[in-house]
Amino acid sequence: MARDAGMKRIILLGATGSIGASTLDVVRTHRDEFRIVAASALRSRARCEAIAAEFGARAYIGENAALRAVEENDADICLVATVGASGIAPTLAAIAKGMDIALATKEVMVMAGELATRKARERGVRFLPVDSEHSAIFQCMGGDVHAQGVARLILTASGGPFIDSPADLSRVSVAEALNHPRWKMGPKVTIDSSTMMNKGFEVLEARWLFDVDTSRIDVVVHPESIVHSLVTFADGATLAQLSPPDMRVAIQYALSAPRRLASERESLDLASLGALTFRRPDETRFPCLRLVKEAAARGGCATAVLAAADEWAVAAFLDGRIAYTDIARCVERSLEAAPHFACESVDAVFEAARWTTAFLSTGGQAR
Ligand SMILES: NC(=O)c1ccc[n+]([C@@H]2O[C@H](COP(=O)([O-])OP(=O)(O)OC[C@H]3O[C@@H](n4cnc5c(N)ncnc54)[C@H](OP(=O)(O)O)[C@@H]3O)[C@@H](O)[C@H]2O)c1
């Protein structure tokens, strides 16, 4: 197919998921701006083929589909919206081919942020944040992840179901932990939201996306989830981004930045919102926030150890094998016991993850 000048070609990885659907909506509204050239899914064959037919794209389905979609197509932007570590290899392949990366899959930065951002710098490609907090920061920076004069980043967090009670978190049941007050999400991310590990992952994502040390990234609890995040600049000014919670705002900006495209979406009615509230998170109650910063300070693949330990521990909690408060304990013990893994290659990242799973599977947290 001939290439239209100015039209951005997009490879959409994870096209059949929630972010994929929102991306397709954005493209439908702006067919003169964006074209999907390839779409991938893991299992949803019929849905992926329907997407390909609607958008004149190639469909890729299966275990290695995301990687093949990148290897067999050229595009301006690769939008990565698969789940977990599966996003790492296709992201690195897209960088090697010179594509900008619109990133939804935070594990790419949590587990391989140092490697991925180094490769992107060497190849001269951009990371375009899709996660709503990181999009907010990106928007406050005027669409430049390396904006000048940034003093601090402030990520907002809804706080999850256990922000104030119960006093004793060790007795929290699986059903209670899965009952998020604001969003319906998959079980892993719901538990991660309740322990605030998910916010910790976002701190790491911000660390690499914006090249800001974790000591200059704050988390503030904001239960209304209207302010998506903020940036404090060197002159003391703080800019915030506010919008109704709709991932299409963030996705559209990732694809168009620094331009803003029109949309029919509703904007905020501030007077009807009334008050917006903010407070500090309690790191004693939510030790995962502290562990994330400790892992970042250790360097190498320590954050891959952190992510793998959390994955193992959340699964064990959901299976009834460990208590809720053991999730953070598993992560802490793994970080203490892990050898230093230099983060030189994607193999090193997966080796660190495998070491962690083996450590916890053989009772490491109790040693
Ligand atoms: N949803 C949100 O609002 C949101 C916000 C910020 C960040 N994120 C992040 O964005 C990513 C996508 O989220 P989502 O909510 O769109 O997830 P989702 O609804 O579960 O969709 C995941 C997509 O990835 C595919 N997929 C799943 N496992 C895969 C694997 N191992 N290898 C390759 N493809 C795989 C799925 O294909 P099948 O349909 O065939 O299973 C589907 O197309 C996640 O990392 C999430 O944390 C999501």
Side-chain angles (χ1 to χ4, degrees), residues 14-19 41-44 81-83 86 104-105 107 131 247:
T16 51
S18 158
I19 294 286
L42 180 63
R43 279 179 291 259
S44 311
T82 66
V83 171
S86 70
T105 311
E107 285 81 356
D131 218 350
M247 285 307 295

